[in-house]
């Protein structure tokens, strides 16, 4: 099933590439850039999933990612990219621990605590940046010195063969080659680590007793307590892990861009929450949502021509969403998706390019439209965000 969906998606991309003459749609360079953009977002979505599976809503992901970017900048320029990753994770854990203390121990509203972290973290990062980076060689008040990039790997031989096929620009075949070449050429070890963490999270949460207990705290904490589960402990572990993943996302962002910069996260923590919801609080789904954002972000970096072709892609995607929603009985949502799909299709055929002012906003608009209209049958953890006090079920 998933294989057929992937083949159909590449067929559509290939058709649009031929029609629009936009070779960047399926180029290996675009795939590589999409992976780089998707990794921080996937880590933010994974962070949100861990917290909410434990029953705690964490909208402080953006702030924890900011802490991660600063930690990466501080350690990275002195000791290298892996120190950057470790220190970014550590500061993310600090942010997660702060959120856990506020929400689990003191019963502070989860939204208020998350907003507070989102307000405090950027200010703290900017203050520390001025303190540690202003006089550092190559640094400044709002940026760190340069960070060395993480090692990259290429599958020898296969990359060259796929590159030759990609260069032929054959229908579908070259597009498949371009996508595959992007997945086996100059792939950062950080991307590999992120993929392993997504798989590992799925295994831990759905295949181990620990994961069952943690998820029970988000579904029915009083029942879990009656069976001897220390609900507070598992909520703490869930939120601390959430902070660690968010910090990793910030660290990956700083390392891949080569330095810490003020305002670097650009709302990715909130987009990560959208990807988590789109993925129905499951690792595979949130990875799909993160990849969607990464792909549109990569096309935006390619310029106006690629974004113009994206209008047609978005129109087709929304029409498909309209059909799916109609078959599911969501007629109003189907009509909205269909109308927007027709509108974007008309915009593509009635224009030659997208205004430069809208190119940078394309990833956010496309992601939110598709995630918002495609989501259905969502089932969040039943007690996520609800206050819990020990012994309340007695």
């Amino acid at each position: 099933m998933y294989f057929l969906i992937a083949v159909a998606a590449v067929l559509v991309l290939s058709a649009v590439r031929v029609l629009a003459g936009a070779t960047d749609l399926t180029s290996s360079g675009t795939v590589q850039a999409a992976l780089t953009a998707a990794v921080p977002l996937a880590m933010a979505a994974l962070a949100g999933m861990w917290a909410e599976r434990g029953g705690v809503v964490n909208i402080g992901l953006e702030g924890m990612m900011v802490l991660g970017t600063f930690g990466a900048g501080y350690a990275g320029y002195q000791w290298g990219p892996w120190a950057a990753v470790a220190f970014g994770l550590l500061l993310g854990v600090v942010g997660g621990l702060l959120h856990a203390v506020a929400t689990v121990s003191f019963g502070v509203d989860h939204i208020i605590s998350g907003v507070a972290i989102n307000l405090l973290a950027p200010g703290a990062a900017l203050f520390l940046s001025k303190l540690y980076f202003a006089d550092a060689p190559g640094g400044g008040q709002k940026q760190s010195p340069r960070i060395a990039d993480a090692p990259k790997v290429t599958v020898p031989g296969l990359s060259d063969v796929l590159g030759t096929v990609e260069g032929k620009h054959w229908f579908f075949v070259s597009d498949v080659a371009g996508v595959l070449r992007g997945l086996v050429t100059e792939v950062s070890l950080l991307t590999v680590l992120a993929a392993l963490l997504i798989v590992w999270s799925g295994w831990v949460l759905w295949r181990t007793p620990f994961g069952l207990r943690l998820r029970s705290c988000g579904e029915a904490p009083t029942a879990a307590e009656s069976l001897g589960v220390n609900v507070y402990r598992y909520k703490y572990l869930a939120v601390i892990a959430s902070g660690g993943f968010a910090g990793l996302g910030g660290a990956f962002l700083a390392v891949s861009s080569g330095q810490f910069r003020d305002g670097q996260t650009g709302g990715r923590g909130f987009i990560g929450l959208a990807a988590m919801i789109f993925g129905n609080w499951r690792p595979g789904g949130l990875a799909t949502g993160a990849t969607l954002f990464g792909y549109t972000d990569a096309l935006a970096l390619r310029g106006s021509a690629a974004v113009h072709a994206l209008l047609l892609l978005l129109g087709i995607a929304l029409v498909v969403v309209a059909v799916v929603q109609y078959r599911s009985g969501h007629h109003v949502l189907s009509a909205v998706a269909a109308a927007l799909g027709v509108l974007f299709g008309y915009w593509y055929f009635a224009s030659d390019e997208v205004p430069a002012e809208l190119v940078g906003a394309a990833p956010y608009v496309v992601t939110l439209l598709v995630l918002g209209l495609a989501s259905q049958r969502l089932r969040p953890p039943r007690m996520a965000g609800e206050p819990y006090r020990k012994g309340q079920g007695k």
Side-chain angles (χ1 to χ4, degrees), residues 116-364:
I117 291 173
N118 286 338
L119 293 174
L120 289 172
L126 182 58
F127 169 77
L128 293 172
S129 174
K130 292 178 179 179
L131 186 64
Y132 289 107
F133 300 149
D135 298 325
Q141 292 191 353
K142 294 186 177 182
Q143 65 183 42
S144 72
R146 299 295 298 178
I147 305 171
D149 200 358
K152 298 182 178 181
V153 295
T154 298
V155 178
L158 181 60
S159 176
D160 295 332
V161 173
L162 291 173
T164 301
V165 177
E166 179 188 359
K168 300 295 184 181
H169 299 297
W170 294 327
F171 178 78
F172 185 68
V173 176
S174 292
D175 299 287
V176 172
V179 173
L180 292 178
R181 185 168 185 255
L183 296 176
V184 299
T185 305
E186 291 292 307
V187 178
S188 172
L189 288 182
L190 296 181
T191 301
V192 177
L193 175 60
L196 292 175
L197 287 173
I198 292 172
V199 174
W200 175 81
S201 292
W203 177 77
V204 168
L205 291 178
W206 276 271
R207 293 289 185 271
T208 67
F210 169 84
L212 177 62
R213 295 187 188 103
L214 188 145
R215 288 187 292 116
S216 71
C217 295
E219 296 289 346
T222 54
E225 181 187 351
S226 69
L227 295 174
V229 175
N230 188 329
V231 176
Y232 280 4
R233 177 189 299 169
Y234 279 90
K235 283 181 177 289
Y236 258 90
L237 290 173
V239 182
I240 289 172
S242 175
F245 282 117
L248 275 179
F252 290 175
L253 184 62
V255 172
S256 63
S257 62
Q259 65 182 156
F260 158 81
R261 294 190 301 274
D262 183 46
Q264 190 170 30
T265 54
R268 282 172 173 79
F270 300 109
I271 298 292
L273 284 174
M276 176 199 69
I277 295 170
F278 170 77
N280 210 9
W281 290 265
R282 288 183 172 269
L286 65 86
T288 302
T291 302
L292 172 64
F293 176 87
Y295 179 70
T296 54
D297 196 24
L299 287 183
L301 294 175
R302 292 296 189 267
S304 179
V307 175
H308 187 247
L310 186 61
L311 293 177
L312 182 57
L313 274 177
L314 181 58
I316 295 172
L318 288 172
V319 169
V320 172
V321 168
V323 173
V324 172
Q325 296 287 21
Y326 184 83
R327 290 171 61 88
S328 300
H330 304 110
H331 296 161
V332 174
L333 197 57
S334 173
V336 173
L340 288 173
V342 172
L343 178 62
F344 278 102
Y346 173 78
W347 186 2
Y348 170 79
F349 288 108
S351 62
D352 295 323
E353 62 179 10
V354 175
E357 295 81 6
L358 298 180
V359 171
Y364 302 93

Side-chain angles (χ1 to χ4, degrees), residues 73-90:
Y74 176 78
Y77 87 93
Q78 301 182 81
W79 304 301
W82 295 113
V85 170
F87 208 70
L89 183 150
L90 178 62

